[in-house]
Amino acid sequence: MLMRIASVSKEGEFGIQADPKVLYTTMMLIRTSICIDSPGGSIYALLIALRYCAVRRQFSTMEKTKVERRVLDYQTVQSQLTPLLSEALVQMVVGRFIRMEFKELQEKVEQGNFDKLPVMHHLLAGMKSLFSESMVTTIDIARRACGGAGY
């Protein structure tokens, strides 16, 4: 898979034939995919939670009627899910930007230009952590917003 970069002799000796910096791009590709895919997990969880909260009715709190309110009408549910939806949408835009920047980085690395590598390395290290933590938190909050059905 990395034959143009590294080789192993018949005696088992490992040798790098290209600039070792190229190996960083493989790790950065994984980080890029985490940044691109994480918002999608958040969006799917929020989609399920918002659909559930829009359909589920609970407690007859309106005067002169026995109609129960939709769970989505409660401000506490709205205040939990709306910011998470906004955050996930912003992360999707940032993920697309990161994809474009990484593609540009790959093109420059193929030409032997590694100038952009350190900046992208640091950017992706932070974004990977931020996006994956955000996704896990969003999924948990969306699950809890569904009440007992979320379990």
Side-chain angles (χ1 to χ4, degrees):
M1 189 162 92
L2 298 171
M3 289 300 292
R4 63 187 181 132
I5 298 169
S7 64
V8 179
S9 69
K10 290 182 180 183
E11 293 80 33
E13 294 178 20
F14 178 77
I16 296 177
Q17 298 168 338
D19 193 329
K21 293 178 184 176
V22 175
L23 297 175
Y24 280 115
T25 59
T26 305
M27 174 189 59
M28 292 169 65
L29 176 64
I30 302 301
R31 289 179 175 177
T32 301
S33 66
I34 290 171
C35 293
I36 293 168
D37 297 337
S38 292
S42 297
I43 292 289
Y44 284 128
L46 289 167
L47 176 67
I48 292 166
L50 288 168
R51 282 182 175 174
Y52 176 81
C53 291
V55 173
R56 173 78 169 104
R57 294 183 174 271
Q58 185 172 305
F59 306 120
S60 177
T61 58
M62 295 178 280
E63 291 183 26
K64 299 180 184 176
T65 181
K66 292 189 180 198
V67 176
E68 293 182 333
R69 293 177 68 182
R70 294 182 308 160
V71 173
L72 190 58
D73 291 339
Y74 289 99
Q75 289 179 346
T76 53
V77 172
Q78 292 174 9
S79 68
Q80 286 180 336
L81 298 181
T82 305
L84 295 175
L85 181 61
S86 301
E87 182 179 348
L89 292 172
V90 168
Q91 286 181 353
M92 287 181 79
V93 173
V94 172
R96 289 184 179 161
F97 172 77
I98 288 173
R99 180 189 308 156
M100 290 181 342
E101 289 295 311
F102 186 73
K103 185 176 181 181
E104 184 181 323
L105 169 74
Q106 285 180 313
E107 291 169 358
K108 287 185 176 186
V109 165
E110 286 178 12
Q111 298 168 358
N113 182 351
F114 298 100
D115 293 343
K116 202 171 187 171
L117 192 70
V119 173
M120 282 298 289
H121 174 75
H122 297 301
L123 176 73
L124 288 171
M127 290 296 181
K128 167 200 69 145
S129 174
L130 178 71
F131 281 36
S132 57
E133 174 67 23
S134 173
M135 180 186 66
V136 169
T137 303
T138 298
I139 290 171
D140 188 48
I141 292 171
R143 179 186 55 80
R144 284 187 273 139
C146 295
Y151 291 96

